[in-house]
Amino acid sequence: MGRKRPARKGNPDLRQQKHIPAPPIEEIEKQLYSLLSPASFKPLKLCSGKDEKKLRERILTLPVMMAIVLSLVYRQIPGIREVGRILSEEGLLWVERIEVSAQAISKRLQTLPIKLFTQIFEQVIARIQLQTQLTAISSDWQPVSQRFTAIWIADGSTLEALRRKLKALKDTDKTVAGKIMMVVAAFTHQPVATWYTTNSKANDKTWCDQLLERLPVGGLLIFDLGFFKFPWFDEFTATKKFFVTRLREKTAYTVVRCLSSGQFYRDEIITMGEYRSHPCKHPVRLVSVLWGATWYYYLTNVIDPQILAAQQVCELYRRRWRVEDAFLLTKRLLGLAYIWVGDSNGVQIQILATWIFYAVLNQLCTQVAIALNQPLDRISTEMVFRGLYHFSQAVLRGDASEVVSYLVERQKLFGLVKTRRKRQSLDDAYTQQIWVLSS
């Protein structure tokens, strides 16, 4: 018998970094430029006083810094020093060759106003939404997506472990990265909004007000137990907005009526907070499912099962893992697990730049999914990203000119469509047992 391989230790997000940057890809750069045309930098004119003085004509202007931070992400450039070399030798995106030191770039990342990068991020997301209405939503979910003005997923992620990357911070207790809150669209996977705090132990409820304000009337938000509180649930119902989450253990409730039930599920209207001085004012819906040997409990304020069936409530919550996928891809694939500068200002700029390129990459994955007649969930974002290197080499050889057609023609070679796992077949069997056989 062979020896058992020892378990890996440490943070799995901290993969070994590349030491050589990826080559530029003309099609990707055209897309970035279309989203970040000169009009994107109009926030410069909104600055006054000290901020205006900081942003006056100089080498490292906002457009130059945007080219630098986006290139750091999309070309996987290993660090600030290397990006300085590339600027000197070949330029980056819309920036011609210039001489600039690593220290200057680092200091600039610490001083550029975050509100400018935030405004640009918002503009990019809005432009992507306007550029195309093409989506790769499976036919099963299309009716549901049309019943709500938006279906979003929200979750937080701690980034404190990133501080160990910089030598200057290895022997200190200084916390740099903090925590981010991310909102992504449930079916298109596109980022919608992001917020940041330097407090790595911040509770997810910190962002409740921003999340509810951002969600449009008639929209639905999916979130986990970190947001569980009765007043927030009532605010959703009062503002004609909707949610799907889990029921916290030991929550007292009273069943008002049963909508439907089977051997493996129950769909009920309940009131919560039976023994509290401030109970939940509005009734909610509780969907209970026996999955294997365990009961799972899901809550929603979508009371009408004709709008959202019991099965759809459960499966929508299971889609919450799409935001976890987004965190995994940005940390491990796009390098957000490593910070560029030991300063919270620079960390926020890196977060925004990473999400901007993730949005562009996700748009490319959507185009591939449509070309392959597959739902977006079946397309591997990581393999599409890896395929960009091979496309750049094919362009140099004169063998390719259009990225989507190149990837589609070689989808089996690159493994763009995810292989169905044994676990997924088991999930299908449970779904059949719960919702079909027990009905």
Side-chain angles (χ1 to χ4, degrees):
M1 294 177 63
R3 291 192 302 173
K4 186 177 180 180
R5 180 180 295 179
R8 291 184 178 180
K9 297 180 180 179
N11 188 339
D13 292 331
L14 302 178
R15 289 182 173 179
Q16 185 175 358
Q17 278 193 301
K18 300 178 180 67
H19 299 289
I20 301 174
I25 303 168
E26 185 178 359
E27 278 209 48
I28 298 299
E29 296 194 350
K30 283 181 179 179
Q31 177 66 2
L32 289 170
Y33 187 79
S34 71
L35 295 169
L36 292 160
S37 61
S40 301
F41 304 111
K42 285 183 179 179
L44 280 167
K45 298 178 181 179
L46 302 179
C47 298
S48 60
K50 292 182 180 179
D51 285 345
E52 184 180 24
K53 186 176 180 181
K54 288 179 184 178
L55 295 169
R56 284 176 183 166
E57 289 303 322
R58 56 169 72 185
I59 294 176
L60 293 177
T61 60
L62 178 61
V64 173
M65 289 304 298
M66 182 58 70
I68 288 173
V69 295
L70 282 175
S71 298
L72 277 161
V73 178
Y74 117 81
R75 291 184 58 181
Q76 299 287 276
I77 300 174
I80 299 297
R81 292 188 182 278
E82 186 64 26
V83 85
R85 297 185 186 107
I86 296 174
L87 267 174
S88 175
E89 290 298 310
E90 59 186 82
L92 290 168
L93 291 172
W94 45 79
V95 179
E96 300 293 334
R97 293 167 54 184
I98 55 173
E99 294 283 346
V100 62
S101 68
Q103 291 82 358
I105 297 173
S106 180
K107 287 182 179 180
R108 203 76 172 109
L109 286 170
Q110 297 173 39
T111 57
L112 274 173
I114 293 301
K115 63 181 179 181
L116 300 182
F117 279 85
T118 302
Q119 289 175 24
I120 292 172
F121 169 78
E122 299 280 353
Q123 289 177 15
V124 167
I125 299 305
R127 287 182 180 184
I128 286 178
Q129 292 174 348
L130 291 174
Q131 271 188 359
T132 178
Q133 297 299 319
L134 294 176
T135 56
I137 304 175
S138 66
S139 57
D140 294 340
W141 285 112
Q142 287 178 7
V144 175
S145 66
Q146 293 168 2
R147 292 179 193 136
F148 299 93
T149 56
I151 301 180
W152 295 347
I153 310 168
D155 200 10
S157 181
T158 301
L159 301 177
E160 184 178 359
L162 312 188
R163 67 183 183 183
R164 298 192 183 95
K165 170 60 181 172
L166 297 176
K167 291 182 180 179
L169 301 176
K170 283 184 177 179
D171 299 324
T172 71
D173 294 327
K174 183 180 179 183
T175 298
V176 174
K179 188 172 184 178
I180 59 174
M181 172 60 57
M182 193 64 208
V183 182
V184 301
F187 299 116
T188 66
H189 306 179
Q190 281 291 5
V192 174
T194 185
W195 295 281
Y196 171 84
T197 176
T198 55
N199 180 8
S200 61
K201 297 181 180 179
N203 192 294
D204 286 345
K205 295 185 181 73
T206 303
W207 291 283
C208 281
D209 291 341
Q210 291 98 314
L211 286 167
L212 192 61
E213 182 181 354
R214 189 64 180 265
L215 185 69
V217 173
L220 184 147
L221 188 66
I222 306 166
F223 50 85
D224 65 7
L225 288 174
F227 296 93
F228 196 98
K229 62 176 183 178
F230 293 167
W232 203 43
F233 297 159
D234 285 330
E235 284 186 60
F236 273 91
T237 304
T239 55
K240 297 181 180 179
K241 301 177 183 182
F242 305 97
F243 67 83
V244 169
T245 187
R246 283 195 296 156
L247 178 70
R248 177 175 285 172
E249 192 176 356
K250 298 182 180 179
T251 299
Y253 65 87
T254 301
V255 176
V256 176
R257 70 178 184 274
C258 179
L259 299 175
S260 63
S261 64
Q263 184 179 355
F264 302 100
Y265 83 95
R266 294 190 301 272
D267 187 3
E268 303 164 307
I269 304 296
I270 66 169
T271 56
M272 294 190 296
E274 183 179 355
Y275 303 113
R276 293 172 64 99
S277 57
H278 299 287
C280 194
K281 296 178 182 178
H282 298 279
V284 293
R285 191 160 149 226
L286 175 65
V287 178
S288 312
V289 176
L290 179 61
W291 193 270
T294 306
W295 279 93
Y296 294 88
Y297 304 90
Y298 304 98
L299 285 178
T300 182
N301 63 336
V302 182
I303 302 299
D304 188 352
Q306 297 297 319
I307 297 176
L308 200 63
Q311 179 180 354
Q312 292 168 340
V313 172
C314 302
E315 293 185 358
L316 267 182
Y317 186 83
R318 287 173 61 189
R319 294 189 72 85
R320 195 188 67 81
W321 287 103
R322 297 296 176 268
V323 74
E324 300 292 348
D325 291 340
F327 281 132
L328 183 147
L329 289 166
T330 51
K331 286 182 178 181
R332 300 186 187 182
L333 185 65
L334 302 183
L336 191 53
Y338 297 92
I339 57 177
W340 304 328
V341 293
D343 173 83
S344 61
N345 196 79
V347 169
Q348 292 180 75
I349 290 174
Q350 180 177 355
I351 290 169
L352 292 168
T354 303
W355 284 117
I356 287 173
F357 178 67
Y358 174 79
V360 173
L361 180 60
N362 186 71
Q363 190 180 34
L364 175 61
C365 291
T366 300
Q367 293 170 347
V368 170
I370 293 170
L372 291 173
N373 196 28
Q374 293 283 350
L376 183 58
D377 294 339
R378 292 292 308 279
I379 302 300
S380 170
T381 304
E382 180 171 357
M383 298 313 297
V384 169
F385 184 64
R386 290 187 185 184
L388 294 179
Y389 166 79
H390 299 287
F391 171 70
S392 69
Q393 299 305 300
V395 170
L396 290 176
R397 296 191 304 268
D399 295 337
S401 60
E402 202 278 322
V403 63
V404 174
S405 60
Y406 174 83
L407 292 173
V408 168
E409 288 172 6
R410 295 160 179 79
Q411 61 94 2
K412 289 186 178 180
L413 175 64
F414 295 153
L416 301 186
V417 180
K418 296 176 184 177
T419 303
R420 285 185 60 81
R421 308 293 182 185
K422 182 178 179 180
R423 174 183 55 81
Q424 293 171 310
S425 299
L426 186 62
D427 288 348
D428 290 344
Y430 276 130
T431 299
Q432 178 79 3
Q433 179 188 59
I434 294 168
W435 305 111
V436 179
L437 299 181
S438 66
S439 298

